[in-house]
Amino acid sequence: MPLSTSQAAGPADFTSPRQVGLPKPIAKPDKHIWGIYVALIILSIVELYSASSREVATSTIGVFGPLVRHMAMLGLGFLCILGLQRIHYRHFYSWSVIFVFLSVVAMVYCMFFGDIINGARRSFSLLGFSIQPSEMLKISAVFIIAIVAHRTQMKGGGVTNTGVTVMAAMVMLFGGMLIKQGLTNTLLLMGISISMFLISGVQWKKLGVVIVVYAMCFGAFMLINKSGSGDEEPVAKEMVHEADKANGTSGKRQGTWAKRLERYFDNQPKYLKEINAQNRQEMYSYMAQANGGVFGVFPGNSRETARLPLAFSDYIYSIIIEDMGLIGGLVVLVLYLWLMARASGIAARCTRAFPAFLVLGMAVMIVIQALFHIAIVTGVFPVSGQPLPLISKGGSSILVTSIAFGIMLSVSRHTARTGKKDAVKAEIEALPEDLRTVNPTQL
């Protein structure tokens, strides 16, 4: 008996993207996001090499040792981007739940068994890699808010009270885990979450209540832990508090925060201050920026990189300004702001809520962290440690930032644009029922 047309086409149908629920990309990956990524990678390689004088002196594989390790992490991140940008964004809906669970487990493990650095358990080793769960929690917060916000959208716009409560509770849980590690990561998490609350349409009154609750919880924590010693931590993160490690405790950091705030609000001119072990990070950072002037001294000619602790990570923006001047610093700032603008444009064209929240959340996470780093290095914010996304040396930070770029590129490829009826219809048919919520942003 001859096969029918449909039967004969069985194998072809089985491999058809539409049949297996994997629709073909609607568009090409966003060229602007790729361009920003490539520009940041080039800057990262050049400036990391320029800022690694201290590491070169201790490297066992020669002058290019720090650069080789950094490029290996960038290469791993690049592979993540290539893989993620090919995956339809709907898969991130289910995968993100697994990622959040693993992030919480990793954070709990780190809180009890992590390596003590600067008086707090910040990381742990796994298969030769240093894992920082704090970076994982930031992107986990974006996943959680994107999922809950799109599922609890009201017909007239906005998020239900249940949705706001769940999102706020999860962020408070993450914040409670982070605050023992440092104040900056906690504030950064709050900034990311509040920005996403606004994006998802949370009403101002509800947002005000959330902010008040955040403030009360933070105040209660400070009161409970106000008996901090006031000792300043070592200058470099690689210096471990051996006493804390021996005692199995992370120590209390309220004294450190108080001293940093005291220095921040000190009105004495910077050039009159004596450089000591407590303030030399910011003082050498300011010197590097002053030495850069408008046009810089050209990469590789930095004067302060050999004296500035953490020049390759927490203070790399000061080396960028010293090497490339005020103009170079502004270029880096514009790259991050450009990323936010492109993500906003992609979200505005999305017809579904989940991809819109996802692409904006990833951009917000990267850009707010970059702004925190720049504000700290330039003296706008008090001193703290925060890497510059994709430019500073790091492992977990580079991988998490690469994941965010890959997800943004995935959304730019697979989401239908408003006004294209056929593409919108095909997208809706390919999505499960709970991912068909209409995009309320339309920025």
Side-chain angles (χ1 to χ4, degrees), residues 366-420:
I366 294 172
V367 174
I368 288 184
Q369 181 165 328
L371 294 179
F372 261 65
H373 175 99
I374 293 172
I376 290 168
V377 169
T378 56
V380 177
F381 286 176
V383 173
S384 187
Q386 197 61 230
L388 188 60
L390 217 59
I391 295 182
S392 294
K393 176 195 171 186
S396 301
S397 176
I398 288 176
L399 291 181
V400 167
T401 304
S402 299
I403 290 172
F405 267 92
I407 291 174
M408 285 188 288
L409 288 167
S410 170
V411 172
S412 72
R413 289 189 77 191
H414 294 95
T415 189
R417 281 19 175 200
T418 54
K420 297 185 177 182

Side-chain angles (χ1 to χ4, degrees), residues 282-298:
E282 58 259 44
M283 294 300 291
Y284 287 136
S285 171
Y286 299 147
M287 290 180 182
Q289 294 171 66
N291 187 43
V294 176
F295 300 105
V297 297
F298 196 74

Side-chain angles (χ1 to χ4, degrees), residues 110-123:
C110 186
M111 290 169 64
F112 292 97
F113 306 106
D115 298 327
I116 301 176
I117 302 175
N118 286 357
R121 297 189 184 274
R122 301 176 185 274
S123 63

Side-chain angles (χ1 to χ4, degrees), residues 222-435:
M222 296 297 292
L223 287 174
I224 293 172
N225 294 273
K226 66 180 180 180
S227 57
S229 65
D231 295 333
E232 184 72 26
E233 78 276 14
V235 173
K237 285 184 177 179
E238 290 78 4
M239 298 173 63
V240 179
H241 280 190
E242 293 298 334
D244 286 339
K245 189 173 183 180
N247 294 330
T249 177
S250 63
K252 294 183 178 180
R253 295 180 51 81
Q254 285 71 20
T256 295
W257 302 342
K259 281 183 172 290
R260 288 175 172 177
L261 290 173
E262 181 181 340
R263 294 202 304 270
Y264 177 71
F265 289 108
D266 184 2
N267 293 324
Q268 183 182 15
K270 297 289 190 298
Y271 59 84
L272 293 179
K273 291 184 178 181
E274 180 181 353
I275 299 176
N276 53 43
Q278 285 72 41
N279 69 7
R280 64 172 178 162
Q281 292 187 93
E282 58 259 44
M283 294 300 291
Y284 287 136
S285 171
Y286 299 147
M287 290 180 182
Q289 294 171 66
N291 187 43
V294 176
F295 300 105
V297 297
F298 196 74
N301 294 324
S302 170
R303 183 187 67 192
E304 302 301 331
T305 181
R307 297 194 297 176
L308 175 60
L310 303 178
F312 49 83
S313 57
D314 290 350
Y315 282 86
I316 198 167
Y317 189 70
S318 62
I319 303 302
I320 292 174
I321 294 179
E322 185 178 18
D323 284 348
M324 299 187 292
L326 175 64
I327 294 176
L330 290 176
V331 168
V332 172
L333 177 60
V334 168
L335 284 174
Y336 288 111
L337 296 179
W338 185 9
L339 178 66
M340 189 73 246
R342 288 304 300 176
S344 300
I346 294 170
R349 296 192 296 271
C350 291
T351 61
R352 306 299 104 188
F354 180 67
F357 295 156
L358 199 58
V359 70
L360 278 173
M362 295 300 161
V364 163
M365 181 190 73
I366 294 172
V367 174
I368 288 184
Q369 181 165 328
L371 294 179
F372 261 65
H373 175 99
I374 293 172
I376 290 168
V377 169
T378 56
V380 177
F381 286 176
V383 173
S384 187
Q386 197 61 230
L388 188 60
L390 217 59
I391 295 182
S392 294
K393 176 195 171 186
S396 301
S397 176
I398 288 176
L399 291 181
V400 167
T401 304
S402 299
I403 290 172
F405 267 92
I407 291 174
M408 285 188 288
L409 288 167
S410 170
V411 172
S412 72
R413 289 189 77 191
H414 294 95
T415 189
R417 281 19 175 200
T418 54
K420 297 185 177 182
K421 295 182 180 180
D422 292 340
V424 172
K425 183 179 179 181
E427 181 183 32
I428 294 174
E429 290 176 353
L431 293 175
E433 190 68 32
D434 56 358
L435 278 179

Side-chain angles (χ1 to χ4, degrees), residues 172-219:
M172 287 177 62
L173 172 64
F174 294 166
M177 294 178 174
L178 286 174
I179 198 165
K180 279 290 187 178
Q181 292 192 353
L183 181 60
T184 308
N185 275 329
T186 308
L187 293 177
L188 183 58
L189 178 69
M190 298 299 128
I192 294 170
S193 65
I194 291 172
S195 299
M196 286 204 67
F197 286 171
L198 287 171
I199 290 168
S200 61
V202 173
Q203 292 88 340
W204 284 101
K205 290 183 180 180
K206 297 178 183 178
L207 182 61
V209 172
V210 170
I211 293 175
V212 170
V213 172
Y214 284 170
M216 291 175 62
C217 292
F218 177 76

Side-chain angles (χ1 to χ4, degrees), residues 62-108:
V63 68
F64 294 106
L67 186 61
V68 170
R69 290 192 294 269
H70 183 64
M71 291 181 67
M73 291 307 304
L74 291 175
L76 185 59
F78 178 70
L79 293 178
C80 288
I81 293 176
L82 285 182
L84 291 173
Q85 60 103 24
R86 295 177 63 86
I87 298 172
H88 194 279
Y89 67 80
R90 72 174 188 171
H91 295 293
F92 301 133
Y93 183 73
S94 54
W95 293 357
S96 61
V97 177
I98 301 174
F99 186 90
V100 171
F101 174 76
L102 293 176
S103 299
V104 172
V105 171
M107 191 68 202
V108 172

